[in-house]
Amino acid sequence: MKTLIMLLPLLFHLLLSVASASSPSPTVIIVGAGMSGISAAKTLHEAGIKDILILEATPRIGGRLMKTKFSGSTVEMGGNWLFTGGPVANPLIDIANKLKLRTFYSDYENITANTYKQEGGLYPKKEVDEAYQVASDRDDFSEKLSEKLSAKKKDVDISILAAQRIYKRVPTTPLEMVIDFYYNDFEDAEPPKYTSLKHTIPRNELVDHGEDSYFVADPRGFEVLVQYLAKQFLSSLTSDPRLKLNKVVRDISYSDSGVTVKTEDGSTYNSKYVIISASLGVLQSDLIQFNPTFPIWKRIAISDFSMTIYTKIFIKFPYKFWPTGHGTEFFLYSHVRRGYYPIWQHLENEYPGSNTLMVTVTSDESKRVEQLSDGEVEAEVMEILKNMFGPHIPRPESILVPRWGMNKFYKGSYSNWPANYNQKRKDQLAAPVGPVYFTGEHISNKYIGYATGAYFAGIDTANDLLDCIKKKSCKSNHHI
């Protein structure tokens, strides 16, 4: 009897493995094991489509929720904040609470007292407060204008910059530009001249889920949320045959009769359908070849949307030389060159005693920084810090510069809705091409660029595919 009892766990595991074994020709192949890919797979599994196969190019699941070790701390190179406090429940907050994810409230309240001039020294708080009030009033005007455009029958759109011009208060001084960066680029990862007014303001993530932002600083990483979802339907994150890591998809052939997927290592997989959860940047690159080539309406929809870069640079020092304590967490640096190392955060709350600063750049500055060596980035950062805190500060012990734009498996951080990119084209971006379906944060209409957008996009794409499989209600291709 003892022997039988001891064997029961093994028998259960074997039965589970058989039940979850991947089919030689699964119904659905999912390319990518990030938030949207795993969310789509989970939705299919729960609806009874269990013969799925997930192909992930890297050795891990999580996608752009990616942790790394930096000088003894676990830091997030990609997504970093969770949002709460709004009228709509955030499902990722619910998962984070279940997992007791270690997060810290980001306090921006005193940022007007921590805004530095280009050559050093703080701006008077009153001057910064006045500039913030202008930015806030301009933002309110832009929101009302966006609502008017949305109410029109014609699909009319302008850039956020155009709205600022209509308001007659375009940021021009270094102080005005850094505040404008804080209001816009810090969320959208692109300047207002590129960003859609109607489809960006108000920012639905903050309106729905809340403006209380919590910085993830957990040794397990933000990616543990994706792992949690995967564990709901996979028997193992390493040995379930329905998940294959280190499988770089290079070719997808499709027809009415099904899909053939080929990977870099020479493997071939067949299925009835495929869901592509790779980033928009990957779709815009030549990493995956589609055969036949997508129709022109699809290629235009992919090519005309914006994939941008959001770069968080971590710098560790032997000791602190910046203000710490209440009301000092975030500080701004103004410069005549817009977006030049503008937003700083000390990480003393998240990683006590680590003596670490984080500075954020985006868009064109991110692309420029990615071309530099770590040493060259360090030299630029040190020049700024010396302007702010004096010439006798210590040299860094280490620096981490993520390079999302140069990574062939991502080709950027997240997408941004460009001005004059209309809803019809956005629908085409999400639309399937025959048996080829698409998901990812760039598919989301409401939460584009956010982890919640990726989560809901996975569910939506899976449900569209389920309607096609079970109800024969397949979305027709959208033609220009």
Side-chain angles (χ1 to χ4, degrees):
M1 180 62 75
K2 265 189 180 180
T3 304
L4 180 58
I5 291 172
M6 291 173 65
L7 285 173
L8 282 176
L10 178 60
L11 291 170
F12 176 78
H13 178 76
L14 288 171
L15 287 170
L16 189 60
S17 298
V18 170
S20 65
S22 61
S23 165
S25 182
T27 299
V28 185
I29 290 175
I30 298 166
V31 178
M35 176 64 81
S36 58
I38 293 299
S39 175
K42 178 175 178 288
T43 304
L44 292 172
H45 177 91
E46 291 174 347
I49 307 295
K50 299 183 180 181
D51 57 331
I52 58 177
L53 177 63
I54 305 167
L55 300 176
E56 166 58 39
T58 73
R60 52 178 286 279
I61 70 168
R64 284 165 276 165
L65 298 182
M66 183 189 294
K67 71 176 187 290
T68 192
K69 279 289 185 183
F70 174 67
S71 295
S73 299
T74 299
V75 298
E76 300 293 335
M77 293 199 292
N80 217 135
W81 281 273
L82 283 166
F83 296 88
T84 188
V88 178
N90 185 342
L92 300 189
I93 286 287
D94 294 339
I95 297 171
N97 289 338
K98 286 180 184 177
L99 297 172
K100 294 181 169 54
L101 194 71
R102 188 171 178 264
T103 63
F104 295 82
Y105 176 69
S106 291
D107 186 3
Y108 300 94
E109 288 301 315
N110 202 38
I111 203 165
T112 57
N114 302 308
T115 301
Y116 289 82
K117 300 175 183 178
Q118 181 171 335
E119 298 304 323
L122 289 166
Y123 282 97
K125 187 177 187 302
K126 182 180 178 184
E127 182 180 351
V128 185
D129 281 335
E130 290 172 353
Y132 264 90
Q133 188 59 55
V134 170
S136 178
D137 292 344
R138 184 173 59 225
D139 204 50
D140 290 342
F141 169 82
S142 297
E143 185 169 332
K144 290 184 177 71
L145 181 57
S146 176
E147 290 170 355
K148 287 181 180 178
L149 293 178
S150 297
K152 290 182 178 294
K153 290 183 179 179
K154 289 187 176 180
D155 196 353
V156 179
D157 189 21
I158 61 174
S159 68
I160 293 176
L161 176 60
Q164 294 176 341
R165 287 172 175 156
I166 294 169
Y167 189 63
K168 304 294 186 184
R169 296 301 294 266
V170 177
T172 55
T173 70
L175 176 59
E176 290 168 346
M177 287 191 293
V178 76
I179 292 171
D180 188 50
F181 186 101
Y182 172 73
Y183 264 79
N184 292 294
D185 309 40
F186 195 40
E187 291 293 333
D188 308 324
E190 279 193 313
K193 66 181 179 180
Y194 297 123
T195 305
S196 164
L197 174 72
K198 187 168 75 172
H199 299 292
T200 303
I201 293 181
R203 291 179 171 83
N204 291 310
E205 174 74 14
L206 308 184
V207 171
D208 288 356
H209 298 141
E211 296 188 29
D212 294 340
S213 56
Y214 284 82
F215 188 99
V216 175
D218 192 292
R220 296 167 294 175
F222 203 158
E223 63 196 47
V224 74
L225 271 66
V226 186
Q227 294 170 2
Y228 172 85
L229 293 173
K231 288 176 182 176
Q232 306 306 302
F233 65 94
L234 294 175
S235 60
S236 166
L237 300 186
T238 56
S239 60
D240 191 310
R242 293 175 298 170
L243 170 66
K244 295 187 182 297
L245 303 174
N246 297 304
K247 289 290 185 179
V248 182
V249 172
R250 298 305 304 268
D251 184 271
I252 297 177
S253 299
Y254 63 96
S255 67
D256 291 340
S257 58
V259 178
T260 298
V261 177
K262 295 180 181 179
T263 56
E264 202 165 62
D265 62 4
S267 301
T268 299
Y269 305 93
N270 297 305
S271 64
K272 295 178 182 177
Y273 304 92
V274 63
I275 295 177
I276 311 296
S277 75
S279 75
L280 176 70
V282 168
L283 292 176
Q284 292 172 343
S285 75
D286 61 357
L287 181 68
I288 305 175
Q289 300 297 316
F290 293 92
N291 191 11
T293 302
F294 288 149
I296 189 64
W297 61 264
K298 188 68 176 184
R299 284 181 280 158
I300 291 174
I302 291 170
S303 301
D304 206 26
F305 212 62
S306 183
M307 185 71 178
T308 189
I309 312 174
Y310 185 104
T311 308
K312 297 174 300 174
I313 301 167
F314 299 86
I315 317 109
K316 179 179 174 59
F317 292 89
Y319 57 85
K320 293 186 290 289
F321 51 83
W322 51 86
T324 57
H326 180 70
T328 65
E329 184 177 0
F330 291 89
F331 49 102
L332 302 183
Y333 175 71
S334 64
H335 196 277
V336 292
R337 192 161 92 201
R338 192 180 189 282
Y340 188 73
Y341 300 102
I343 298 187
W344 294 75
Q345 179 181 0
H346 75 66
L347 300 177
E348 191 59 26
N349 298 332
E350 294 80 4
Y351 309 105
S354 68
N355 305 325
T356 300
L357 292 175
M358 184 179 85
V359 60
T360 299
V361 296
T362 66
S363 191
D364 289 343
E365 276 300 303
S366 286
K367 294 173 186 175
R368 185 189 69 82
V369 164
E370 287 194 354
Q371 302 298 319
L372 302 178
S373 68
D374 286 359
E376 289 170 324
V377 176
E378 179 184 312
E380 291 186 347
V381 163
M382 286 301 291
E383 182 180 355
I384 292 169
L385 290 172
K386 286 177 180 178
N387 285 340
M388 287 194 281
F389 300 112
H392 303 299
I393 62 174
R395 284 195 60 186
E397 292 181 345
S398 52
I399 186 169
L400 172 64
V401 185
R403 291 177 170 83
W404 288 98
M406 297 175 70
N407 189 318
K408 68 178 181 179
F409 298 139
Y410 304 103
K411 302 298 288 185
S413 301
Y414 54 83
S415 61
N416 183 42
W417 198 315
N420 297 311
Y421 187 102
N422 61 32
Q423 185 62 56
K424 177 184 176 183
R425 187 155 289 171
K426 185 64 165 54
D427 292 341
Q428 292 171 338
L429 181 62
V433 178
V436 182
Y437 282 68
F438 301 85
T439 194
E441 50 82 15
H442 57 283
I443 298 304
S444 174
N445 283 330
K446 290 194 73 176
Y447 309 126
I448 181 173
Y450 294 93
T452 44
Y455 172 80
F456 285 119
I459 294 172
D460 290 344
T461 299
N463 283 331
D464 286 343
L465 181 52
L466 286 166
D467 284 344
C468 183
I469 294 171
K470 294 187 172 184
K471 301 177 183 177
K472 303 303 179 186
S473 176
C474 304
K475 283 196 170 183
S476 61
N477 291 341
H478 295 244
H479 297 283
I480 293 176

